[in-house]
Amino acid sequence: MTHSLVGLALGELVERALPAPSTPAQGRTRRRALLLTGLLASNFPDLDLVLTPLLPAPLGYLIHHRGHTHTLLYALPQVALLLALTWLLWPAARRLLNEDRAARRAVIGTALLGMVLHLSFDALNVYGVHPFHPVDSRWIYGDLVFIVEPVFWTALGIGLALAAHNRAWRWFGLAFFAAMPVVFTWLGFLQWGSLAGLALLGLAVGAARARLGARGALAAALLACAGFVGVQAVAGSAARSEIRAALAQVAPGSRVLDIPLSSFPANPLCWSFATVSTGPGADSYAVRVGVLSLAPGITPVSACPVRFGGEPGNPAPALAWKYLENGSLAAIRALQRTNCHVDAWLRFARVPSLVDGVATDLRFGAPDQPNFSTLPYAARALAPCPAPLAGWGYPRADLLGWK
């Protein structure tokens, strides 16, 4: 949904920035071509989901999703494929691109920018991307916004609805994107304060539409999204500082390697987090999971939505530790060398939990709550090694003794 809204907003803004078309028919074709190009370009990288059957679950998804199609190098052939399909399958668009130089440049630019925006938005969350492969195959994590962020839906969805030419589509879009946060709040995904913030956001985009027109509404929506990311960056930095201070108290002498963060949707005050640290023993490491409130007087951890890690009834107002697992550096290094399934899994895992022959990335759930990252590695020890593998960097190369 987010990628689609971003692509449609891009196409609409490019269309409104171009000179008036020569004829109404050319104008309709140009607008449709830009909207469709933005929509498809902003979703094309996720075509790598068709590659997930190449490896047994869960490794197919972990290794091949957000894989090669999510790199800047492979964005170029994707753009070429998208433009070729448009040229071959859409005669009206082919005539437009052949006759109108400005439209041709606009469509190509929209395709390129749509691909980059896909990678950029994917880089904002705790899942991560490695866009510079093969030059640099390390994962990059933004740890800024929730992977399904209703702020983006509300701002861009209402902006696009107000820009729609068809009245039925306009009212349908407004009703859908106004009702969506209400339903999410009723289901327990959002706090009432988040709902109020989203309502104000929608009204602000509507006010921009009344004062500045459809292009102004879309520009306001994009500025609101950028502003929200900025707020999350400041809040995330504060969260890391508080987590480091708390970890120094519960594990003195440990060295912090990583603090993956996942914000709650439309909520810069509540954060789920994990920590990866070594020590205090020479052969030891620890992974921890917790939940943090940056404003415990307003929203203690007990009030953060339980569906994303809130702790109802927890007496700790600001920070609650939920899970601790201690491990041996020698043991995880030996397992990586001797079990090729674990070795493949460690190309993705950022917060590895290894309990009773089962591996789970604690970013996505506790060991007793299997998720898409859960691998029964002991049961597969004698199975053929997974192939083909992509050469992604190991997120926990530091635990494995590599630089």
Side-chain angles (χ1 to χ4, degrees):
M1 178 68 79
T2 299
H3 290 310
S4 296
L5 292 173
V6 169
L8 290 170
L10 171 63
E12 187 70 46
L13 278 172
V14 172
E15 162 63 24
R16 291 176 182 273
L18 292 174
S22 301
T23 65
Q26 187 184 64
R28 286 191 296 271
T29 299
R30 188 179 74 182
R31 181 170 184 267
R32 290 169 182 169
L34 287 169
L35 288 174
L36 186 62
T37 299
L39 174 67
L40 294 178
S42 195
N43 281 284
F44 245 51
D46 282 337
L47 290 175
D48 60 11
L49 290 170
V50 304
L51 301 177
T52 58
L54 292 175
L55 298 176
L59 294 176
Y61 186 88
L62 303 183
I63 298 298
H64 291 302
H65 180 47
R66 294 207 182 178
H68 290 94
T69 59
H70 285 70
T71 64
L72 292 172
L73 176 63
Y74 286 92
L76 298 177
Q78 291 179 83
V79 169
L81 175 61
L82 173 56
L83 296 175
L85 290 173
T86 301
W87 184 272
L88 292 172
L89 302 178
W90 192 352
R94 180 167 63 247
R95 287 193 297 271
L96 172 70
L97 297 178
N98 191 46
E99 298 169 1
D100 190 332
R101 185 179 182 184
R104 184 165 62 250
R105 288 180 172 178
V107 169
I108 295 173
T110 299
L112 288 167
L113 189 53
M115 296 283 178
V116 172
L117 285 172
H118 184 109
L119 304 188
S120 301
F121 272 79
D122 277 357
L124 293 175
N125 53 56
V126 74
Y127 194 109
V129 289
H130 28 70
F132 305 114
H133 177 82
V135 176
D136 185 347
S137 298
R138 290 175 295 179
W139 289 82
I140 296 174
Y141 309 99
D143 292 354
L144 295 177
V145 300
F146 190 68
I147 198 166
V148 180
E149 182 47 67
V151 167
F152 298 154
W153 290 22
T154 300
L156 296 172
I158 290 179
L160 283 166
L162 292 171
H165 292 181
N166 183 283
R167 179 177 295 181
W169 278 113
R170 184 184 310 141
W171 284 108
F172 173 80
L174 289 173
F176 177 82
F177 288 107
M180 175 268 298
V182 176
V183 173
F184 283 177
T185 304
W186 177 67
L187 292 174
F189 293 110
L190 297 175
Q191 289 180 310
W192 289 104
S194 298
L195 177 61
L198 292 172
L200 290 174
L201 174 59
L203 290 173
V205 174
R209 171 66 172 86
R211 187 175 181 85
L212 303 173
R215 184 165 62 178
L218 285 171
L222 290 173
L223 285 174
C225 292
F228 177 70
V229 172
V231 168
Q232 293 294 96
V234 173
S237 177
R240 276 199 168 84
S241 296
E242 295 200 16
I243 294 165
R244 284 183 180 275
L247 189 60
Q249 293 182 352
V250 300
S254 297
R255 183 170 70 94
V256 180
L257 301 178
D258 197 6
I259 304 178
L261 291 174
S262 181
S263 69
F264 284 54
N267 187 341
L269 301 180
C270 291
W271 294 79
S272 292
F273 69 89
T275 66
V276 183
S277 58
T278 57
D283 183 50
S284 65
Y285 74 92
V287 289
R288 292 174 170 84
V289 175
V291 59
L292 169 75
S293 171
L294 289 174
I298 301 173
T299 301
V301 295
S302 59
C304 296
V306 66
R307 290 180 179 268
F308 300 110
E311 288 280 277
N314 195 302
L319 188 148
W321 296 103
K322 300 170 60 176
Y323 180 77
L324 165 64
E325 181 180 323
N326 292 301
S328 161
L329 293 173
I332 191 173
R333 293 169 184 176
L335 191 58
Q336 180 267 329
R337 290 193 303 268
T338 59
N339 188 312
C340 57
H341 302 275
V342 173
D343 176 68
W345 182 79
L346 285 170
R347 295 177 185 269
F348 171 83
R350 187 179 177 189
V351 190
S353 166
L354 304 168
V355 177
D356 297 331
V358 177
T360 294
D361 193 325
L362 295 180
R363 285 178 292 174
F364 309 108
D368 60 348
Q369 300 171 347
N371 56 69
F372 70 90
S373 73
T374 302
L375 172 73
Y377 66 85
R380 297 190 188 178
L382 301 179
C385 290
L389 288 180
W392 315 139
Y394 292 79
R396 291 276 64 89
D398 42 21
L399 289 184
L400 300 175
W402 308 330
K403 292 184 180 181

